[in-house]
Amino acid sequence: MSETLLEVKGLTKHYVSKKGLWGAKKTVRAVNGIDLTLYNGEVVSIVGESGCGKSTLGRCVLRLIEPSAGSVHFEGSNILEMDNKSLRAVKRDMQFVFQDPYASLNPRSTVEDILMVPLEVHRIGDKIERRQKVQRMMDIVGLSKQHLKRYPHEFSGGQRQRIGIARALILQPKLIIADEPVSALDVSVQAQILNLMQDLKEEFKLTYMFISHDLSVVRHISDRVAVMYLGKIVEIADKNSLYSDPQHPYTKALLSSVPVPDPEAKKERILLEGDVPSPSNPPSGCTFHTRCPFAFEACKTVEPTLKPLSDERMVACHLLHP
Ligand code: SF4
């Protein structure tokens, strides 16, 4: 394993709101004590159903949202303890690619202005050098110089995401957190953007945290995959082991719904009962017990912890750690 780039420990984001006639407090446990390590040069995907906390996790890691507790060490320094000046310096190495490129690009700015902003904020080069960097980045993401004077609405969805990626890359970061970067795009364009991200990873020696609900997309790009349920990681493993032999009952159910290209292959779909419980009122014990086909008595009261099952895999389930 190569060097650690990012180490997240006990990361928690709880939203407390007043609700009800008497102003009773309601706590939404969006992210609930996440431990996660990313090594240099790898792609770790975070998967799970909508509302499981994966996007909040990504935003907390970059302090786009302030976490409630925990630590986020980037190259050994805890960014949650940094003042604004130190944080701005470290954020040059940590960039975010958003799901909706249109919403994340200023509609009143040309592409050139959009790409110049990060260079100006971080005082990189003079005006001529910045222009050259912007032009080179356009080339790298497959756009032409003629596009520089255009506005975001003049581009297709795939081109806009290329601009979003160019903006993230222009500071030559080490880590990119991409939140559902292809989910708003057509399938054919998805493949182009994923291939671009893979090429850029090699060229710029990037590390990705790739957030997605789409297990087919995740299979294409990941080295390791972390499965989240109600604000917690329930299984993390290298991609091949996870897809060929999922262990946690929730991972099994998620993967059973992924279509396989072989028409001869028989696959039994595991249908989960009920809806995902509310993160403001999570079930006791194992939070998955209300939907788990294998739940037994202890699951209702004792919370399982994420423990190693092998060198490549950690799982939180009483069945696997009796
Ligand atoms: Fe199912 Fe129990 Fe394992 Fe939770 S701990 S996943 S309820 S068997």
Side-chain angles (χ1 to χ4, degrees), residues 6 8 11-15 30-32 34 53-69 71-72 78-80 87 91 94 96 177 209 211:
L6 181 83
V8 172
L11 196 66
T12 300
K13 179 64 189 175
H14 290 176
Y15 295 95
V31 171
N32 219 0
I34 296 281
K54 53 190 188 303
S55 292
T56 308
L57 168 65
R59 282 167 166 75
C60 283
V61 167
L62 273 196
R63 280 184 73 180
L64 301 179
I65 299 173
E66 282 299 322
S68 313
S71 63
V72 177
N78 186 0
I79 69 161
L80 303 193
L87 185 63
K91 276 198 174 177
M94 307 168 80
F96 206 88
I177 299 181
M209 181 188 284
I211 296 164

Side-chain angles (χ1 to χ4, degrees), residues 248-250 286-290 292-296 299 302 304 316-320:
H248 192 280
Y250 180 59
C286 172
T287 52
F288 187 53
H289 85 255
T290 52
C292 179
F294 308 102
F296 53 101
C299 303
V302 183
C317 175
H318 295 314
L319 274 183
L320 300 157

Side-chain angles (χ1 to χ4, degrees), residues 33-107:
I34 296 281
D35 295 340
L36 181 66
T37 303
L38 267 67
Y39 300 98
N40 263 319
E42 70 169 350
V43 181
V44 176
S45 290
I46 315 290
V47 301
E49 289 163 290
S50 174
C52 71
K54 53 190 188 303
S55 292
T56 308
L57 168 65
R59 282 167 166 75
C60 283
V61 167
L62 273 196
R63 280 184 73 180
L64 301 179
I65 299 173
E66 282 299 322
S68 313
S71 63
V72 177
H73 283 85
F74 181 78
E75 295 191 310
S77 303
N78 186 0
I79 69 161
L80 303 193
E81 288 175 350
M82 287 179 182
D83 58 23
N84 284 343
K85 194 174 166 207
S86 312
L87 185 63
R88 195 164 57 236
V90 87
K91 276 198 174 177
R92 188 177 158 174
D93 287 331
M94 307 168 80
Q95 292 291 313
F96 206 88
V97 173
F98 294 88
Q99 173 180 6
D100 182 352
Y102 195 49
S104 68
L105 300 173
N106 185 344

Side-chain angles (χ1 to χ4, degrees), residues 17-29:
S17 63
K18 281 191 179 165
K19 218 179 165 201
L21 200 56
W22 309 106
K25 280 189 180 159
K26 188 175 153 188
T27 303
V28 177
R29 294 166 172 83

